[in-house]
């Protein structure tokens, strides 16, 4: 007996990643520019094309590349405003956080990055590399660097399966420029304490590790451990989203049951 499922939209085989970006992600970019936290997930079975959808290739850029270009295009179009853009790139492997932009890998190898609660910003990763950028080319170069450091492994279902959740985060801060004679937008290197940003939002682009069943992958040893951590964190993410969708303010939302949901708490929870 068949089951009915309701979707917001279904893309066909002729659709490109740009089509997906226009429909799914572009509205969230506009929200982030206005100061609202936003998150895009790529979720699905291993080898289903999540990383391709987010990253793409030279001939067909993915959502992340389109999003970066869109942000800087909108900044150029925004007059009388000063921006500060920061990016970070991390992966969560076996519930441990790895900084994909860490310049000192030899010194920091084996160091576990911890999450702490900041009274103003919410959960943050201590000592995570954050790069201030003022153009899309620099952002793309950092992404290429981070991609080279990701954790991949071979399974029965995928020769090069991502064994971790990967989170690309772009923080967009802005405020009005004092100089009324200058109608163009500009970039700040930092904010003074006297004049902090007026708007601040995080855009999170998340490439989730592939969900899989142990029976299909014949996983054992390290691969089994990875798969167990992946499936447990995906289950937590599903639980958090379901409880938020139900909208019962009395329900306990289990953000702390996984590193992923804890890091995304300020975006998932509104």
């Amino acid at each position: 007996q068949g089951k009915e499922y309701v979707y917001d939209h279904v893309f066909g085989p002729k659709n490109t990643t740009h089509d997906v970006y226009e429909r799914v992600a572009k509205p969230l970019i506009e929200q982030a520019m206005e100061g609202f936290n936003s998150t895009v997930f790529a979720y699905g079975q291993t080898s289903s094309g999540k990383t391709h959808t987010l990253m793409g290739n030279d001939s067909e850029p993915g959502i992340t590349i389109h999003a970066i270009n869109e942000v800087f295009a909108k900044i150029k179009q925004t007059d009388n405003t000063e921006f500060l853009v920061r990016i970070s790139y991390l992966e969560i492997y076996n519930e441990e956080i790895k900084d994909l932009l860490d310049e000192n890998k030899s010194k920091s190898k084996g160091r576990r990055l911890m999450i702490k609660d900041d009274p103003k910003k919410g959960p943050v990763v201590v000592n995570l590399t954050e790069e201030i950028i003022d153009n899309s080319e620099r952002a793309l170069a950092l992404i290429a660097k981070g991609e080279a450091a990701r954790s991949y492994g071979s399974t029965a279902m995928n020769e090069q399966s991502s064994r971790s959740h990967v989170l690309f985060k772009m923080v967009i801060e802005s405020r009005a420029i004092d100089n009324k004679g200058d109608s163009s937008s500009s970039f700040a290197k930092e904010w003074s304490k006297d004049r902090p940003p007026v708007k601040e939002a995080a855009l999170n682009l998340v490439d989730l590790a592939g969900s899989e069943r142990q029976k299909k992958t014949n996983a054992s040893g390290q691969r089994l451990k990875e798969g167990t951590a992946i499936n447990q964190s995906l289950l937590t993410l599903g639980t958090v989203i379901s409880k938020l969708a139900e909208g019962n303010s009395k329900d306990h939302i289990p953000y702390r049951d996984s590193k992923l949901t804890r890091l995304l708490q300020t975006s998932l929870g509104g």
Side-chain angles (χ1 to χ4, degrees), residues 27-263:
L28 298 181
I29 309 302
E30 295 169 353
Q31 289 183 21
M33 297 292 290
E34 291 300 317
F36 295 94
N37 292 336
S38 302
T39 300
V40 175
F41 290 109
Y43 169 84
Q45 185 172 282
T46 185
S47 196
S48 59
K50 299 179 296 300
T51 301
H52 175 75
T53 301
L54 279 181
M55 293 301 170
N57 52 38
D58 292 340
S59 61
E60 190 177 1
I63 286 175
T64 302
I65 283 72
H66 285 302
I68 291 169
N69 290 334
E70 185 88 28
V71 166
F72 285 100
K74 287 189 174 297
I75 286 174
K76 289 181 180 178
Q77 297 166 6
T78 306
D79 294 336
N80 302 312
T81 306
E82 189 173 34
F83 291 88
L84 190 148
V85 180
R86 296 179 281 120
I87 67 170
S88 59
Y89 205 20
L90 64 82
E91 73 172 358
I92 303 172
Y93 173 74
N94 283 345
E95 282 299 288
E96 292 183 6
I97 299 170
K98 175 183 176 182
D99 186 350
L100 294 177
L101 299 181
D102 189 357
E103 292 282 3
N104 301 306
K105 290 185 176 63
S106 59
K107 294 181 180 179
S108 60
K109 188 176 182 180
R111 183 183 68 184
R112 297 182 180 181
L113 296 182
M114 308 299 291
I115 302 174
K116 75 170 185 178
D117 290 311
D118 185 284
K120 294 182 179 180
K121 298 181 179 180
V124 296
V125 179
V126 181
N127 296 322
L128 180 68
T129 302
E130 269 197 322
E131 296 276 357
I132 296 175
I133 58 173
D134 58 9
N135 60 74
S136 58
E137 290 77 14
R138 175 61 177 158
L140 297 179
L142 290 169
I143 283 180
K145 173 185 172 183
E147 283 294 292
R150 285 179 62 168
S151 298
Y152 289 97
S154 177
T155 71
M157 297 181 68
N158 187 358
E159 287 187 2
Q160 194 180 33
S161 173
S162 176
R163 311 308 294 159
S164 62
H165 306 307
V166 178
L167 169 59
F168 174 79
K169 182 176 183 179
M170 178 181 288
V171 178
I172 306 163
E173 304 177 9
S174 62
R175 69 181 183 191
I177 294 176
D178 278 342
N179 186 359
K180 295 180 180 180
D182 182 7
S183 62
S184 63
S185 61
S186 65
F187 286 91
K189 296 298 181 183
E190 60 182 13
W191 301 119
S192 68
K193 293 182 179 179
D194 297 332
R195 294 200 65 231
V198 176
K199 295 178 181 178
E200 178 178 347
L203 173 65
N204 301 290
L205 302 172
V206 187
D207 186 4
L208 295 170
S211 61
E212 54 194 30
R213 294 182 181 179
Q214 192 271 332
K215 289 183 180 180
K216 286 188 176 183
T217 58
N218 298 317
S220 61
Q222 183 64 19
R223 291 291 174 265
L224 178 59
K225 180 182 177 182
E226 293 167 354
T228 301
I230 290 167
N231 290 337
Q232 181 59 46
S233 61
L234 290 175
L235 177 63
T236 299
L237 175 62
T239 301
V240 167
I241 291 175
S242 294
K243 286 185 174 293
L244 289 171
E246 290 169 3
N248 188 343
S249 59
K250 295 182 180 180
D251 278 352
H252 166 68
I253 310 297
Y255 291 114
R256 289 178 175 269
D257 285 2
S258 82
K259 295 282 200 316
L260 178 67
T261 48
R262 190 176 176 198
L263 284 178

